[in-house]
Every structure is written in C-alpha cells, then in structure tokens.
Amino acid sequence: MRIFSRLSTAGGAAVLATVLFATTASAADGAPGLDDPYYPLDGNGGYDVSHYDIRLSYQPSSDLLWGTTTILAKATQDLTRFNLDFLLRVESVRVNNAIARFESTGNGELVVTPARPVARNGDMTIVVQYRDVPSNPNYTLYGFNLWTRTPTGALASNAPQTAAWWYPSNNTLTDKATFDVSVSVPEGVEVLSNGVLVSQQQRIPGWVRWNWRSTSPQVTYSTLLAIGQFDEIRTDVSP
C-alpha cells in the first residue's frame, strides 16, 4: 500500500489530504474463487490447468491417504500468489521446482506463494505433497463431507466438490484437463478411475499400484476414485 499526502488550504485552515492507493501487488494475486452464486469459492483465477498427475497410496483400514499431485498449468496473468481448491493437510508445495510458501485457510482454499513470481503466459509445474484422513468430520464444504468410506475402501464421486477430499485442483467447469491417476493399495483391493487402466504394478510386497489415464479433457469433479473389492464384469463392445 502506498500513501500520498498533500497539504492545502481551505477557508484559511490547513488541510492534510491523505489518499491511499493500492500497489499493483494485489493485481498479481489469483482470485480465490469465481463467485458462483451457490459455490463462491469453487475455482480460482489466474491460471489454466492442462494436466493432473495424481500419485497416491491408500490404506483402507485407517482411511489414510498420502502422496503427491503434480499440476501442469499456464498463468493467465502475472502471479505472485494463487489458490488451489483442497481440504487435506499439506506437507509441502513446490512451484517450478522451488519450495513455495502455503497456507490452508480451512474453507477449502490452499493459498500458494511461489518463491518467484510467475509471468503471464508462463508455465507452472505445481507439486503438492500431502498426508491425511479424508473422512475427518472437520473437512466440510458448504456443510457436506463428500468422501465416503465403505467396508473395503472409499468412494469419491460426488459432484461438484469431491476433488477437494483427495487432490488439489482448480475446481471449475471452465478448466478441463487430462489426468493420470495412480493409487497404491493393499493386495486384494482394487482401484477404479476414469479412462483406461494402463498398468498394474507390484513394486512393494503386499501392495499393488493401479495406473489410470484419461486423455480426453474432463472437469475435476467428474474424476472418479473408487477403492474396494469389486466383482469384475467384462463386455465386448466391438462391432
């Protein structure tokens, strides 16, 4: 904030007029929401996302979820700070391979301050590391907790805010992206998500990593995560 003062006379009396002008720093902050009349904090201004790489592990017995989400985005304005829609406890954030400051506001906003400002049209690689229990009853948006525990796992499929319980995002209809969803679970548990199951890997004894890929851009809250024990039914849809 800059302060400008001017001394003048009015009716023989000296008057000190002080005017406050905001610096351009606030103009470099991405908007914390898109002012939807029903969900005003959904979505964020200042950038567009092209891809999410979500790489997690999940323990059904404790509902513990941990790992990283890497976001590829482009700044649509000069940015000194921006928001992500997310509820879980964050351990670290990096922007363009530099440690960034961050703050979780408690209302689903993760505020990120990069070590260096990002210029308009600049590329951003955002890596968020986190570890938490999504079913924590304190994690609500607009009065709801949309993470559902099941007898054998969990389900995240409720529109329009479900992403905030398992990965950070720009949660708006206007910012579609492609996805890689990779989740490691105990052997005998399955993971379902959007797109194509590209591989299953068992690199840690007793754990299997399921890798799903969506190459058609989709909105964040339509990205499904279903973890549990399922019956598999295959249908031939070829002509």
Side-chain angles (χ1 to χ4, degrees):
M1 185 76 72
R2 293 182 181 176
I3 302 176
F4 294 89
S5 299
R6 184 180 63 185
L7 184 65
S8 63
T9 59
V15 177
L16 180 65
T18 303
V19 183
L20 303 181
F21 293 94
T23 66
T24 57
S26 61
D29 293 346
L34 299 181
D35 295 325
D36 181 275
Y38 295 101
Y39 308 110
L41 289 178
D42 281 9
N44 304 283
Y47 62 93
D48 284 322
V49 177
S50 60
H51 185 71
Y52 293 91
D53 189 323
I54 305 167
R55 189 172 182 85
L56 305 173
S57 297
Y58 180 71
Q59 176 54 265
S61 63
S62 61
D63 197 42
L64 181 63
L65 182 76
W66 70 97
T68 61
T69 290
T70 300
I71 302 169
L72 304 182
K74 184 178 290 290
T76 58
Q77 65 176 67
D78 293 339
L79 282 176
T80 56
R81 185 170 64 184
F82 61 90
N83 284 30
L84 295 167
D85 298 306
F86 195 47
L87 282 164
L88 303 188
R89 185 175 64 85
V90 173
E91 295 183 330
S92 67
V93 180
R94 301 182 73 92
V95 178
N96 294 340
N97 206 34
I99 296 174
R101 291 189 290 115
F102 65 90
E103 177 187 3
S104 296
T105 65
N107 59 355
E109 294 295 308
L110 175 62
V111 184
V112 179
T113 303
R116 294 177 293 275
V118 181
R120 182 181 180 184
N121 295 323
D123 292 328
M124 296 196 299
T125 300
I126 308 157
V127 182
V128 182
Q129 183 176 1
Y130 48 100
R131 182 184 185 92
D132 210 344
V133 176
S135 60
N136 185 328
N138 293 324
Y139 294 153
T140 61
L141 285 178
Y142 309 104
F144 298 97
N145 184 311
L146 299 182
W147 178 269
T148 304
R149 291 193 71 182
T150 68
T152 59
L155 179 64
S157 63
N158 293 298
Q161 284 92 25
T162 191
W165 279 267
W166 64 289
Y167 71 96
S169 72
N170 189 23
N171 188 43
T172 172
L173 282 169
T174 61
D175 196 1
K176 297 180 180 180
T178 56
F179 282 80
D180 279 294
V181 176
S182 175
V183 182
S184 180
V185 291
E187 192 172 7
V189 178
E190 291 88 35
V191 178
L192 305 179
S193 192
N194 304 67
V196 176
L197 179 63
V198 294
S199 66
Q200 292 172 260
Q201 303 166 319
Q202 189 171 16
R203 294 180 176 177
I204 299 176
W207 288 74
V208 177
R209 179 166 292 281
W210 297 66
N211 301 295
W212 292 84
R213 176 166 295 166
S214 296
T215 57
S216 296
Q218 62 196 32
V219 297
T220 51
Y221 64 70
S222 70
T223 305
L224 165 76
L225 180 65
I227 301 172
Q229 295 175 332
F230 307 105
D231 294 326
E232 182 177 343
I233 300 175
R234 292 182 178 268
T235 302
D236 186 0
V237 294
S238 59

